[in-house]
Every structure is written in structure tokens, then in C-alpha cells.
Amino acid sequence: MSFTADTLLLFGATGDLAKRMLLPSLCALDADKLLPETLRIVGTARSPMSDAEYRNFARAALEKYLPAERRGGMADFLNRLHYQPNDVTHPEGFAKLAEQVGDSRHRLAIFLSTAPSLFEVTIEGLERAGLGGEGVRIGLEKPLGLDLASSREINDAVAKCFPETRIFRIDHYLGKETVQNLLALRFANVFFEPLWNATHIGHVQITVAETVGLEDRAEFYDHTGALRDMLQNHILQLLSLVAMEPPASYDPTAVRDEKVKVLRALRPVRDGESVTGQYRGGAIGGAIVPGYDDELKRDSGTETFVALKAHIDNWRWQGVPFYLRTGKRMHERVTEIVVQFRNVPHSIFGNARMKPNRLVIGIQPEENITLSLMAKVPGLDRDGIALRPVPLDIAMPDAFTGAHRRIAYERLLLDLIEGDQTLFVRRDEVEAQWAWIDGIRAQWKSEALEPKPYASGSWGPSAAIALAERDGVSWHE
Ligand code: BG6
């Protein structure tokens, strides 16, 4: 059923995500007049608070996390906010929530930003209180499980009340403008697609490097690790967008059908195709930072870095390795995709040094697209033509001056309110992701793979460099 929600019911309304991302995104949308005029936002969490107290809480979060120039009309935004305390483990509390929601139970968007262990009781409570009917859709924040089995349990619990067409699983990378731009780049330009295959592409690299460490999530992170925190979701979503076949249209079914085919075609990772690491002390941007064990205050075998060589077993990608890596406390914060083309089949330029073309898609912090092209070095060529790669560089902010740089959640929350599932992850995608990740973890176990130490501020353990260099490939840095 297509509808725009009258009420957004936010579980986990006092949590970190609400403070840093959800409230700022909603306020920024409101400032741009993009929220439905009558939308009410009802926050709920365990802490007892009145509407007025929640509005104060929200104001403090907005002042901290939303730049002043995007806070226009904050007072009006705060007036949309209401709060209803509720402990989801006590079923009787849901009746009060239902009262707050009132008639908008027929046009309601719910967002669960709580621990997934609470999803099942929350959904039972919602259903009993009459908040699970046809006019209700539900957004789920990650992590959706720790492996395939636990992810299925969560999905089954949600499916008891909500059909797939009303479930919106968040991967916030899909809300990033530059990630969506991947589809435009591939499918709104004629010249990439004919070359986008194993005949012309030698390999692909996807890097998601962060400079932050554990932040305030030591326990969560130590149970999760880089593979499950970043690779299972964000990197595999990027990979599926890079590798998918052209969908027939930009619609939720067509796009997700193509992504899931890629995820299902991932070949199990073999011995020697992955490297894990854990950061030690070091320096980032001139500041000294402690090692993982020191931050955690105990020894741990959890990986904070992972590099993998992945393969997609289908016609288009046969023989094209995808090198994937992510890590905390790395040299710099950068998310980018590198598409390395093959050499020209024959050089007419004698001994001139040829370099294959390379497309670098910068996702963050810089949003740019650089294509390296071979060009003739100016001169009279008495010793033969000399060639050199030159960049064809597009900085997206320059190409679109005046456009806001939006928070990824702005897009996703608006799509949840309006009911567009294209940028949300379907159950079969999440499960294909987990199936592949479980295989990697099983293989690590059988190999007794231990994370290798790396200095904070570096690009990860040297074994990760060797993983690519064995194939004659260097990571793009
Ligand atoms: C989250 C991870 O999903 O993504 C965090 O749990 C990580 O560990 C974050 O820091 C990175 O997101 P972004 O948008 O800053 O790249």
C-alpha cells in the first residue's frame, strides 16, 4: 500500500544514533521543507521524559551534531516531537504508545534503532497494540544478526507481523549520494558499460578506511569485528552496485534482484585470500593514539582490519579479483572504489611506457571521480613519443555547486516516510551476505587465523599489501 506516513515512531529515541544522525537528519529535512507538513515524530525509549524534556534533549543533540546553517526553523521542528517512555520488555506499555499514535496507525512509519535482541519483543508488543497493520511500515537499523542463523531469526521474528514489502532494512551507505551516483555513472553513460567486464577490467579495489578507533562501543565492537561490522554490509553493498547487471528500471524489485545475483555469485574465500589485523598504538594526524587492547583494557582476538580477495563467479567477472579492505585507525579516512582497466592489446608507440586506464570513484570524504588517461608528453619526439597518464578529474561538489551535502539518513528516513524501498536491503540480500561471511569466518577458524598487529596511522598489516602484490597489484593510496 502506498502512503506517506503521518507519524514516525522512533524506538531508541535517546540513543547515540538518534542524537548523531536521526534527529539531525529529520531537522535538516524539515528546514528544507521536505517533511510532510503534518508529520509528528514520536520518540520512545526506556528513560522517563516529558515531551518538553525530550525537546530539550533533541535541541542539545541538534546544536552539537547539525551545522548551524542547516538548523533553520529548529523551533518548528522541535514542536513536531513527542515522547512516550516505554520498556519494550513490558508488554503493557505498548497501549500508551498506541494512544500516542492514535489514528495514524493507518499511516505509520516505525524505525527500530535498538539492539536487535529487542526486535522480537518490540514487534510482538506492536502487533498486540494494533500497530502492525497494513498502514504500518518498519525500518530496521543494523546489526541484523551476527551470522546467517541469527539474522534469519531476526528476519523471521519481523516477518511474523510485517511482510517484506513493509520492511525497510537500513544500510546507511545506500543513503550516501556518491553511492547512489554509482548507478548513474554506470547506467546513465554509454561508454562504461561496454568495458565493464572481465575483457577490459583487470581488477577492482574497494577500500573503506577509518581513522576512528573503538569510540564508545567497545563491547559491541569486540563481539563484532571489522568483517561483520563493515564488510558484511557496507562493502558488499558497494560491491554489488559495482558488479550488478543493468536493471531494467530504477525500481526496488529490479535493482535488488540484480544486486542479490551478485551476492549469490560470490565464490567462497580460500586459504591465503584474506588477512586480518588489529591496531596497536601509533599516531594519526600528529596525535598519539592507544592500541586496541589498551582501549579495550584487555587482550582480544577481534580483528579491526580485514583485507580480502573476492571473486564473482559469473560470465561478466570471471578472472577479475575484487580486493576489499576496511580498518579502524588507518592512515586516513577514505572510502573509494578503484576500477583498474587492462592494458591496450597492442602498443603502437614502441617503447613508450603505457599505463592502463584507471577509474577512481571517491565516496568520502572527497566526492570525486577521476579517470586516468594516457596522453602524449608535449615535445618534438626525436627519441620517440613519450606518454604519461593524466587525470580527468570531476569534483562532484564543484559540478553541483549550491547542492547540500546531506546526511545519508536524510534520504533514508524520507524514503521510509514515503515508502520507497529501492535503497533498503531485502531479506535475500542480507542472507546472501551472511552466507558468504559465515564461510569466511569458518575458514578463518580452520586456518586458525590470528589478527596481525598494525600501527595506528598505517594502511594495515604488511600482509595485506602482500596479498595484492602477489598478483602484481598495489593498493591505491
Ligand atoms: C557503521 C559501523 O555501520 O559505519 C561503524 O558500525 C563505522 O563502525 C560506520 O564507523 C562508518 O560509517 P561512515 O558513514 O562514517 O563511513
Side-chain angles (χ1 to χ4, degrees), residues 212-286:
V212 293
L214 273 176
E215 300 181 285
D216 295 326
R217 317 146 75 216
E219 283 316 311
F220 162 77
Y221 192 84
D222 198 53
H223 277 104
T224 309
L227 180 73
R228 296 190 279 190
D229 185 44
M230 295 295 282
L231 208 135
Q232 181 271 339
N233 37 57
H234 309 321
I235 293 194
L236 287 187
Q237 282 295 319
L238 293 177
L239 175 135
S240 65
L241 292 172
V242 171
M244 72 198 242
E245 297 300 312
S249 62
Y250 187 67
D251 97 359
T253 305
V255 170
R256 299 186 299 175
D257 280 353
E258 295 309 335
K259 283 197 292 166
V260 76
K261 284 186 212 161
V262 172
L263 297 167
R264 289 196 185 124
L266 281 164
R267 183 191 302 167
V269 168
R270 302 194 195 114
D271 264 23
E273 287 182 334
S274 59
V275 171
T276 59
Q278 191 187 78
Y279 62 81
R280 295 287 175 264
I284 297 185

Side-chain angles (χ1 to χ4, degrees), residues 343-355 374 385-387:
N343 267 314
V344 293
H346 164 72
S347 171
I348 64 168
F349 298 108
N351 292 333
R353 241 163 53 92
M354 297 288 275
K355 278 214 156 191
M374 290 308 284
I385 283 187
L387 301 170

Side-chain angles (χ1 to χ4, degrees), residues 185-196:
L185 190 71
R186 286 195 58 198
F187 303 127
N189 294 295
V190 75
F191 40 80
F192 288 120
E193 190 48 25
L195 305 180
W196 210 258

Side-chain angles (χ1 to χ4, degrees), residues 253-421:
T253 305
V255 170
R256 299 186 299 175
D257 280 353
E258 295 309 335
K259 283 197 292 166
V260 76
K261 284 186 212 161
V262 172
L263 297 167
R264 289 196 185 124
L266 281 164
R267 183 191 302 167
V269 168
R270 302 194 195 114
D271 264 23
E273 287 182 334
S274 59
V275 171
T276 59
Q278 191 187 78
Y279 62 81
R280 295 287 175 264
I284 297 185
I288 303 293
V289 293
Y292 183 78
D293 289 1
D294 294 334
E295 274 187 75
L296 192 65
K297 299 190 178 52
R298 59 167 193 269
D299 286 349
S300 162
T302 299
E303 82 287 354
T304 61
F305 172 95
V306 55
L308 290 179
K309 181 171 157 185
H311 299 271
I312 299 170
D313 276 335
N314 62 17
W315 274 41
R316 184 186 285 263
W317 295 114
Q318 210 39 237
V320 180
F322 282 69
Y323 298 93
L324 315 178
R325 67 175 169 169
T326 184
K328 299 270 186 208
R329 291 278 194 235
M330 305 271 286
H331 184 70
E332 61 182 306
R333 176 172 185 249
V334 59
T335 299
E336 68 176 17
I337 297 168
V338 177
V339 178
Q340 178 68 63
F341 291 93
R342 295 193 190 278
N343 267 314
V344 293
H346 164 72
S347 171
I348 64 168
F349 298 108
N351 292 333
R353 241 163 53 92
M354 297 288 275
K355 278 214 156 191
N357 303 118
R358 166 182 271 193
L359 176 69
V360 180
I361 305 166
I363 307 243
Q364 61 186 22
E366 304 313 332
E367 301 179 353
N368 50 17
I369 297 171
T370 308
L371 180 62
S372 74
L373 298 175
M374 290 308 284
K376 177 182 170 309
V377 179
L380 299 178
D381 310 322
R382 293 307 86 192
D383 299 320
I385 283 187
L387 301 170
R388 211 187 66 201
V390 289
L392 190 64
D393 228 331
I394 304 165
M396 297 311 276
D398 294 349
F400 295 97
T401 44
H404 286 314
R405 194 170 192 169
R406 292 190 183 277
I407 309 167
Y409 282 91
E410 286 181 58
R411 170 65 191 247
L412 299 176
L413 285 166
L414 196 58
D415 285 354
L416 171 68
I417 290 165
E418 293 183 350
D420 182 344
Q421 285 188 305

